[in-house]
């Protein structure tokens, strides 16, 4: 059985993330989406809120589970008996960033394979920081995030807050 891990901060969860989760779930027996804490970023939503958004959005995918983790991804993968690490790429900047992470993970455990999926063209311009900026000024998030996430973002960051 092939178990894969798809880690990210998911703050906020985007339709690009959901597209990658759906596509990755077709490639493996079990996919564990891991809500992590990016120590370089300040979060809008708590890890529990992010996990709930993902769980709500992947209910139709029986081989997908969602967990929260704060340690090294490699250590989490060992605990889950996972051998594949899924990452998404939007552009060449993402590639260079992910190349460094993949190299470090390979150094830590040579049995882990990193598989990068290209973002769908509809979502290549979408980033969490851009979405937070759009939400802050009341912009339209339709088609970029799940409806529940759009509502929560507007409530948390919208004009006047």
């Amino acid at each position: 059985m092939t178990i894969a891990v798809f880690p990210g901060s998911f703050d906020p969860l985007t339709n690009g993330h959901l597209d990658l989760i759906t596509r990755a779930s077709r490639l493996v027996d079990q996919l564990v989406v891991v809500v992590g804490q990016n120590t370089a970023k300040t979060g809008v939503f708590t890890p529990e809120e992010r996990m709930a958004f993902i769980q709500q959005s992947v209910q139709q995918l029986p081989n997908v589970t969602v967990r929260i983790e704060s340690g090294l991804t490699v250590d989490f993968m060992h605990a889950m008996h996972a051998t594949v690490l899924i990452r998404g790429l939007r552009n060449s900047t993402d590639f260079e960033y992910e190349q460094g992470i993949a190299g470090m993970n390979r150094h830590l455990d040579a049995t882990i394979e990193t598989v990068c999926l290209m973002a769908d063209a509809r979502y290549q311009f979408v980033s969490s920081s851009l979405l937070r900026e759009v939400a802050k000024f009341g912009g339209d998030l339709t088609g970029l995030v799940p409806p529940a996430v759009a509502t929560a973002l507007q409530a948390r960051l919208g004009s006047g807050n």
Side-chain angles (χ1 to χ4, degrees):
M1 174 151 77
T2 302
I3 301 170
V5 168
F6 180 36
S9 59
F10 305 107
D11 191 36
L13 174 69
T14 71
N15 287 347
H17 292 135
L18 290 176
D19 178 62
L20 291 170
I21 291 167
T22 300
R23 290 166 45 210
S25 75
R26 293 186 214 127
L27 301 175
V28 297
D29 298 305
Q30 183 181 356
L31 178 65
V32 184
V33 179
V34 180
V35 175
Q37 182 65 37
N38 186 332
T39 55
K41 298 180 183 177
T42 303
V44 174
F45 297 111
T46 67
E48 293 77 18
E49 289 171 317
R50 290 180 263 156
M51 184 170 92
F53 288 136
I54 298 168
Q55 287 173 324
Q56 178 184 12
S57 299
V58 300
Q59 292 177 33
Q60 77 285 3
L61 302 172
N63 66 328
V64 176
T65 57
V66 186
R67 302 275 300 267
I68 296 171
E69 182 61 33
S70 60
L72 287 175
T73 300
V74 170
D75 292 340
F76 178 80
M77 291 181 72
H78 290 157
M80 298 301 297
H81 305 288
T83 56
V84 177
L85 180 63
I86 303 288
R87 300 299 293 164
L89 299 176
R90 293 171 298 170
N91 52 43
S92 60
T93 303
D94 283 355
F95 175 80
E96 290 186 16
Y97 176 75
E98 294 299 338
Q99 186 177 32
I101 292 174
M104 179 56 75
N105 287 334
R106 193 123 182 78
H107 170 76
L108 294 172
D109 184 342
T111 67
I112 291 174
E113 290 296 337
T114 299
V115 175
C116 294
L117 299 177
M118 299 304 299
D120 187 290
R122 296 174 294 172
Y123 308 117
Q124 287 179 348
F125 67 93
V126 177
S127 71
S128 295
S129 57
L130 278 176
L131 290 173
R132 288 190 298 268
E133 189 77 7
V134 170
K136 181 177 180 178
F137 293 103
D140 184 9
L141 299 173
T142 304
L144 302 177
V145 297
V149 173
T151 301
L153 269 174
Q154 293 290 354
R156 184 106 4 126
L157 297 177
S159 298
N161 291 335

